[in-house]
Amino acid sequence: MVLIIVLVAVAIVLVVGVGFVVTTRRRSSAEADALAPSPPRPTTRAAPPVIATTTTTSAPADTVEVEEPTAPVAEPSVEPEVVPEPEPLEAPTFRDRLAKARSSFAGALGSVLGRTQIDAETWDDLEEALIRADVGVGLAQSILDAVRVTVKTDSITTPNALVAAVRAELRSRLGEPVPLSTAPEPPTVWLFVGVNGVGKTTTIGKLGRRLADEGQKVVMAAGDTFRAAAAEQLGMWAERSGAELVRGAEGSDPSAVIFDGIAHAAAAGADVVLADTAGRLHNKSNLMDELSKVRRVADKGAGEVTEVLLVLDATTGQNGLAQARQFTEAVELTGVVLTKLDGSAKGGIVFAIQSELGIPVKLVGLGETAADLVDFDPDAFVDALFEE
């Protein structure tokens, strides 16, 4: 019994001893862990700002690149843009641009020059040549009657001399060149009249360019308020030539627009006012009444109206003569601008206008560019019809 009690006591002692040792070791291990340094924790790094450059390089994730400040780079000096001056206008020659009219006229004259004497058929050929050129039947007869007198007076017997006499008679019908008139004190006012489609607005634009090249200050008045886009078209020409544009609302009073244009020109010290007018209203009577009103109102302005120019399309031939008669009734015309003469075989309208209406042709259009609007030269015109 005593032996059992001793064994139990020994067992209890062993258990307690082992427990104490284990507890001591665990405590020592925990204290050692607490004293040991902690391993580094992973950290999250903010991404660097993206800078737009011409080239990009990748840096390692654990490396931070610091860009050294660079010295400012001086920007290259920029020369101011040089606006090229408008090319100088070079006027064409009548001979170069009247090929169609010359071809039609010379074809009939060739028959005359191929003869050996002057007879009835010779006179018929001459009449045909004049009518082909759209001189008109009545004027052709008048010209030939005058030439017959010259043939008899000068005893002309050869076809060559006869053609020379016709040439001289045609030249005499045109008179001397009449330049555009200007006012003693600016602004000078030029009114342009004519039906739609004859090149009225384009003529104003080309003439404005010419005047600007001569150093004159130009104001364009968009008085054709009844045609859609008329003011826009004139505005483009004003921009090209450096002129000022005065315009009104579509359908507004043309007289008021032109009056305002003249007033503006006077205030701005402009030299010339180029005034566009309507080419079509509800009927012919309304159009002519409107043009008469425009002229009266323009005369009341600060400037002086020195030209009322009728713009005609040379390709319309004798129809242009009828238009001239109608416009003469409404306004006192001072001259004619004949457009598209280079594309017409009907140059004889020049003689008809001058002879039958007594209105001088002052400007002619020989092409599309601004340089192709030239002063009418009677000598050069007649020479261009007869020269080969």
Side-chain angles (χ1 to χ4, degrees), residues 182-183 185-190 211 214-219 265-266 268-274 304:
T182 57
E185 298 293 334
T188 293
V189 181
W190 293 342
L211 294 172
E214 294 173 355
Q216 301 195 54
K217 188 173 182 180
V218 180
V219 171
D271 299 297
V272 182
V273 177
L274 305 178
E304 180 181 347

Side-chain angles (χ1 to χ4, degrees), residues 143-332:
I143 292 171
L144 292 181
D145 287 344
V147 172
R148 284 189 173 94
V149 173
T150 302
V151 168
K152 183 176 181 180
T153 302
D154 298 345
S155 301
I156 294 176
T157 59
T158 64
N160 285 338
L162 175 60
V163 170
V166 172
R167 182 173 181 168
E169 180 62 26
L170 289 175
R171 175 60 188 85
S172 68
R173 299 283 176 131
L174 296 179
E176 296 304 314
V178 181
L180 294 168
S181 176
T182 57
E185 298 293 334
T188 293
V189 181
W190 293 342
L191 300 178
F192 292 80
V193 301
V195 300
N196 287 347
V198 296
K200 189 166 70 269
T201 304
T202 301
T203 295
I204 293 174
K206 291 179 179 180
L207 187 55
R209 165 68 190 278
R210 184 212 286 190
L211 294 172
D213 287 348
E214 294 173 355
Q216 301 195 54
K217 188 173 182 180
V218 180
V219 171
M220 298 180 181
D224 187 358
T225 60
F226 299 102
R227 180 171 67 89
E232 285 75 10
Q233 182 184 1
L234 195 62
M236 289 189 296
W237 277 107
E239 184 177 353
R240 293 177 191 174
S241 60
E244 295 185 62
L245 177 69
V246 175
R247 59 179 295 179
E250 185 174 343
S252 59
D253 184 3
S255 301
V257 174
I258 293 175
F259 184 87
D260 290 344
I262 297 172
H264 174 78
D271 299 297
V272 182
V273 177
L274 305 178
D276 196 4
T277 62
R280 179 182 63 83
L281 291 180
H282 298 299
N283 55 54
K284 186 186 73 173
S285 176
N286 284 349
L287 173 59
M288 298 308 164
D289 290 344
E290 183 62 43
L291 293 178
S292 297
K293 177 184 175 183
V294 166
R295 176 59 195 266
R296 292 194 304 270
V297 172
D299 283 332
K300 296 178 182 178
E304 180 181 347
V305 180
T306 61
E307 294 284 0
V308 181
L309 300 171
L310 173 64
V311 183
L312 293 176
D313 182 344
T315 62
T316 61
Q318 290 296 308
N319 289 333
L321 187 61
Q323 293 175 21
R325 291 193 182 99
Q326 294 173 3
F327 279 92
T328 303
E329 297 173 1
V331 290
E332 184 180 351

Side-chain angles (χ1 to χ4, degrees), residues 94 178-180 190 192 203-204 206-207 210 274 309-312 335-341 350 360-366 372-377:
F94 281 81
V178 181
L180 294 168
W190 293 342
F192 292 80
T203 295
I204 293 174
K206 291 179 179 180
L207 187 55
R210 184 212 286 190
L274 305 178
L309 300 171
L310 173 64
V311 183
L312 293 176
V336 169
V337 180
L338 203 58
T339 65
K340 308 174 189 178
L341 190 59
V350 174
V361 176
K362 295 192 173 183
L363 297 170
V364 292
L366 299 178
D372 295 325
L373 182 68
V374 301
D375 295 330
F376 181 64
D377 185 338

